[in-house]
Amino acid sequence: QVQFVESGGGLVQPGGSLRLSCTSSGSISGFYALGWYRQAPGNQRERVARITSYGNTNYADSVKGRFTISRDNAKNTVYLQMNSLKPEDTAIYYCNTAIDATQYWGQGTQVTVSS
């Protein structure tokens, strides 16, 4: 059983930055890929960023150049550095992995971008 705990969300002004963390209850070194997703009210959950065990990354077009995903296997943690935040980035952010076709999600952390 994989358990994730996200943290680092909060209220930030447009143009500001936040760093989200997602810590696993166990080792993440064996997870092929870890992802950050977000869901805004009334919207479907969408993938924001993904990182593989090789360190390859990809991003949604809406966050390219502003967000950076990274992983620290020694700390069992994946990060999402978010810069130049916009009001449309407001959402609950979740981390995710898939093992043998089973999806694992954290409880989410709220990010609100507002002046």
Side-chain angles (χ1 to χ4, degrees), residues 63-76:
V63 307
K64 279 181 182 176
R66 300 189 297 122
F67 290 11
T68 302
I69 189 172
S70 60
R71 61 193 287 171
D72 186 336
N73 289 345
K75 295 183 178 180
N76 297 325

Side-chain angles (χ1 to χ4, degrees), residues 18 55 66 78 82 93:
L18 284 174
R66 300 189 297 122
V78 59
M82 306 186 296
Y93 284 71

Side-chain angles (χ1 to χ4, degrees), residues 18-71:
L18 284 174
R19 188 176 82 153
L20 306 183
S21 300
C22 171
T23 301
S24 171
S25 58
S27 173
I28 66 170
S29 61
F31 297 165
Y32 174 68
L34 291 151
W36 282 99
Y37 288 70
R38 68 185 180 187
Q39 187 167 19
N43 290 357
Q44 290 188 339
R45 193 170 296 190
E46 62 171 349
R47 191 171 75 192
V48 172
R50 180 177 180 263
I51 186 167
T52 71
S53 58
Y54 300 103
N56 297 321
T57 59
N58 57 59
Y59 300 91
D61 287 343
S62 58
V63 307
K64 279 181 182 176
R66 300 189 297 122
F67 290 11
T68 302
I69 189 172
S70 60
R71 61 193 287 171

